[in-house]
Amino acid sequence: MDFLPEKLDDYVVAHSQAEPQILKELNRETWQTVLNPRMLSGGFQGRVLSMISKLIQPKNILEIGTYTGYSALCMAEGMRAEGVLHTIDKNEELYDLQRKYFDKSEFGSQIKQHVGNALEIIPSIEDKFDLVFIDADKANYSNYFNLIIDKMNPGGVILSDNVLWSGKVIEKLNPKDVDTAALLEYNKLMNEDDRIETVLLPIRDGLTLSRVK
């Protein structure tokens, strides 16, 4: 879904910070070797994640949906020296690729990988979080929020990706479209829950920025 004309979008990207070399390498390897490479955050959104993290300077970060580790590395750029980033993914086949790039970065020792069902893993993590990024199965977005909201520090930020879902959120709902229905419910929840304040940014496929009161 394109919010800007292509030439204007190209201008925006050209006048934003370029991705670091390690992320260029990960981007390239993801497109060469992994299924569904469009799931990658990509250079522009990655710089947005990095900037938000640097502004927050989080001690503890949680990512739900690691994929190949691109977004985790972006958020790690703003993490405190004593910080920890927990990242969860159900696909164990991507573990080694993630670890390869985590260890190539300066943040390798601070990034903890978890493989399995995030709904089961999140309650087992004792840390409270300053930054959370939700980018996993859309049907469980609301469930993830309900699990993490009490594990957030005051002033913490929750980022939610793909909340515009290629524009399907404003189209007539197909009764069989479980993901769009779940996102409609989630977007309503994030706008109405009085524990947070939310702004939905039309960046790429939609990025919701929610601050815990």
Side-chain angles (χ1 to χ4, degrees):
M1 185 176 184
D2 297 320
F3 295 102
L4 295 174
E6 184 177 358
K7 288 184 178 180
L8 191 55
D9 190 71
D10 289 343
Y11 182 88
V12 169
V13 172
H15 289 79
S16 299
Q17 192 75 35
E19 61 185 348
Q21 182 60 33
I22 187 174
L23 293 179
K24 290 181 181 179
E25 294 172 8
L26 175 54
N27 195 331
R28 188 181 310 112
E29 184 163 350
T30 299
W31 279 89
Q32 289 174 342
T33 64
V34 182
L35 290 174
N36 302 317
R38 290 186 180 276
M39 291 173 61
L40 197 73
S41 287
F44 178 74
Q45 182 167 312
R47 292 304 87 203
V48 173
L49 296 177
S50 171
M51 181 68 75
I52 291 172
S53 183
K54 288 172 181 174
L55 291 170
I56 297 170
Q57 296 184 327
K59 179 179 179 183
N60 294 316
I61 301 173
L62 172 65
E63 177 181 53
I64 307 170
T66 315
Y67 191 47
T68 58
Y70 189 101
S71 51
L73 287 172
C74 292
M75 292 185 291
E77 293 176 24
M79 184 168 52
R80 297 182 206 169
E82 72 277 18
V84 176
L85 189 156
H86 295 271
T87 184
I88 306 170
D89 203 279
K90 65 181 180 180
N91 188 349
E92 62 183 18
E93 293 181 0
L94 294 175
Y95 185 95
D96 290 341
L97 178 59
Q98 297 161 7
R99 179 46 57 186
K100 171 184 173 181
Y101 281 91
F102 292 160
D103 287 343
K104 284 179 70 173
S105 77
E106 60 186 286
F107 314 109
S109 63
Q110 296 174 267
I111 300 177
K112 295 186 178 181
Q113 293 163 277
H114 302 267
V115 179
N117 186 339
L119 296 175
E120 298 172 357
I121 293 170
I122 292 169
S124 73
I125 301 174
E126 296 182 358
D127 293 336
K128 286 217 162 188
F129 301 105
D130 304 300
L131 178 61
V132 173
F133 183 42
I134 303 175
D135 187 17
D137 55 313
K138 312 311 166 192
N140 275 312
Y141 267 35
S142 293
N143 293 328
Y144 294 141
F145 172 77
N146 289 326
L147 276 179
I148 65 172
I149 186 61
D150 291 330
K151 297 172 75 70
M152 298 294 300
N153 286 318
V157 170
I158 302 168
L159 302 172
S160 313
D161 201 15
N162 305 117
V163 291
L164 294 180
W165 209 224
S166 299
K168 292 179 183 178
V169 292
I170 58 171
E171 297 175 356
K172 183 177 179 181
L173 182 64
N174 183 331
K176 297 180 180 179
D177 189 346
V178 176
D179 287 335
T180 301
L183 283 171
L184 288 168
E185 176 187 339
Y186 181 73
N187 290 341
K188 185 173 185 290
L189 170 65
M190 300 305 278
N191 190 45
E192 296 180 353
D193 194 298
D194 60 11
R195 293 169 293 182
I196 56 175
E197 48 188 329
T198 291
V199 60
L200 197 164
L201 304 174
I203 295 173
R204 293 304 188 256
D205 198 27
L207 180 69
T208 292
L209 176 64
S210 305
R211 179 184 176 274
V212 179
K213 295 179 180 178

